Every structure is written in C-alpha cells, then in structure tokens.
Amino acid sequence: MAEETKSIVLPTTKTASTRRDPRQLILYSAPKTGKTTLISKLDNCLIIDLEDGSEFVDAMVLKASNLEELRAIGKAVYDGGRPYDFIAIDTISKLEDMVNPRAIEMYKATPMGAAFTGSSILELARGAGYYWLRLAFKEWIQKLGQLTDNLILIGHLKDTFVDKQGKEVSAKELDLTGKIKIITCADADAIAYLHRGADGELLMNFKGSEQLLCGSRCPHLRGQEIKIADYDEEQNDVVNVRWDLVYPDIYSKK
C-alpha cells in the first residue's frame, strides 16, 4: 500500500513570531570579567561548572570533570522534570576538551577507525580528527539543550589578528576550535561579548563587526550594547542586574 502523504496547507499570510528570548545564548569575555558572577544572578539558573570556577559565588551549581559526570547530571535534570528556567555551561572551551573520548568512540565505531589506539582524536593524520571532535561537541550541545528552554554557553575570549586593507587588526573571538566555533555560533540565537565600561559597569555587546564576534537574531538585542549590571567595588560584586533586558518574556512572568 502506498504511503499516504500528509496534506500541506500553503500559507497566504505571515505568521507572527512566537518567541523573543534567545533559546541559546553565547556569553564570552576575558578572564575575571564577571561572567560566572553575572550568571549566578539569573533566577532559577543551574550552573554546570566544568572548570571548578564557581566556588566564590552563591549559586545553584553542579560540577563535572568528565563526560560520565556530565551525563549523570543531565539524567538527573531530565528525570527531575527539567526544573530550571536556565542552564549555563561554564565553559564550552572546557567542554571541547571533555568530548575527546566521545569523538574517539564515534571514530572507532567506523571500519576505518576500529584499530585506532590513540589517546586523542587529534592524533589522526591531516587534521581528520577535527571532524570527529565537531560531531562529538555538537552532539553534547544538543543533549544539553534538551535539559532547558534557555541554554547559556559561557566561553573564553581569544585575541586574534585579521588582515584589514593590508594591516593586521586585533580581533576578539570565542575560544573554540575552527569549524566548531563557526557551527556553534551559527546555532546560537545570540552571541554577546561581555566587558567593563568606563565606570566599571558590565556591558553586553551584541553589535558584531570585523573585529568582534557577536550578534543576535532576537530583534530586541540585535545591534545593541546593554548595560547588564553595575560593579560594586566595596562588595566586590555585581549589582543592579538587568537580565530582564535579555530575557523579557521570562521576566515578565515573574
């Protein structure tokens, strides 16, 4: 019996957008700018700490040092009914290192990789290991995205140089490898560079340029630089935090 084809109704009018908040946000900065502290101010946010850097903030934190521990956390969150409005991965630079065993496992499952005995997938000749590293990294980002409606990927800053009209110009990028960075950024709804302003305030820059990797498909963030918090030197803490500027829909329901 021929399989029935589901009838498709062609649209004749525009469908209204159904979401404003970024489903996946990348936040990166130079070290000690305040990323983890800022994330700790989010309501109902679980920080999955992969770098053991959350001990100085008051937050809901679970730590993982390998994929087995990360898998156990994911299972507990999923079995618990996905109770968190936000989950932050701190950091995805560390996650890239952690997925190496999974990349090896995926490669060894193929006929050409069955005899591989190396300890790093990047030992493969002619850079072939990067392909498997990308697959493993993307797989884990997708797994983590299933645990919450709002995933935040925290990353480190990497200073690079780009050629502009024959001159080398400093550029700020997310510290991930090659195509992993490209694919991860393409999948994100918003990418923000976090930095300090002239008065010490924390600014989230969504304005992309040749020298700065950032941007957003969310209209309220696109092309914006947002003052997300003030920095109180006496308390050594961020105050007057405005996460509602990034997640207006979630905060309007609180």
Side-chain angles (χ1 to χ4, degrees), residues 27-232:
L27 179 66
Y28 73 104
S29 76
K32 307 299 185 291
T33 302
K35 296 184 294 295
T36 304
T37 303
L38 183 63
I39 293 294
S40 73
K41 306 297 181 178
L42 261 171
D43 295 337
N44 196 28
C45 176
L46 172 67
I47 298 176
I48 300 181
D49 181 2
L50 307 183
E51 292 196 341
D52 206 22
S54 60
E55 296 179 345
F56 297 95
V57 298
D58 298 331
M60 294 188 293
V61 178
L62 288 172
K63 295 183 179 183
S65 59
N66 55 57
L67 288 187
E68 288 304 313
E69 293 175 356
L70 188 57
R71 185 177 289 109
I73 290 172
K75 185 178 186 304
V77 171
Y78 196 83
D79 291 348
R82 302 169 74 246
Y84 302 105
D85 290 330
F86 307 91
I87 290 181
I89 309 303
D90 191 4
T91 65
I92 54 172
S93 304
K94 182 62 175 179
L95 179 63
E96 182 180 334
D97 296 333
M98 287 175 57
V99 300
N100 176 66
R102 175 55 179 155
I104 292 176
E105 181 182 37
M106 296 170 81
Y107 178 60
K108 292 185 70 172
T110 68
M112 63 182 175
F116 181 72
T117 58
S119 59
S120 170
I121 196 66
L122 299 184
E123 293 175 27
L124 291 178
R126 295 185 293 277
Y130 288 104
Y131 169 77
W132 298 99
L133 194 66
R134 288 197 301 274
L135 290 184
F137 185 84
K138 186 175 179 66
E139 177 187 74
W140 269 95
I141 292 294
Q142 290 174 341
K143 287 178 182 291
L144 294 166
Q146 295 172 1
L147 303 179
T148 180
D149 290 336
N150 303 281
L151 182 65
I152 301 174
L153 306 175
I154 303 175
H156 292 308
L157 170 71
K158 179 170 68 174
D159 282 315
T160 60
F161 291 92
V162 297
D163 185 275
K164 188 174 182 180
Q165 298 179 345
K167 295 182 178 180
E168 282 194 340
V169 179
S170 176
K172 300 183 184 302
E173 295 186 349
L174 179 65
D175 189 11
L176 285 176
T177 302
K179 291 184 180 179
I180 290 180
K181 176 181 64 181
I182 295 171
I183 293 170
T184 304
C185 290
D187 289 342
D189 296 315
I191 307 167
Y193 169 59
L194 183 71
H195 64 107
R196 296 279 178 90
D199 296 321
E201 70 274 25
L202 284 179
L203 303 173
M204 289 178 67
N205 190 347
F206 294 92
K207 297 187 292 186
S209 68
E210 292 181 6
Q211 290 80 44
L212 187 63
L213 175 63
C214 52
S216 175
R217 58 172 60 103
C218 306
H220 70 288
L221 299 175
R222 190 180 304 140
Q224 301 297 312
E225 182 170 71
I226 294 173
K227 178 183 174 182
I228 191 70
D230 291 307
Y231 184 76
D232 189 317

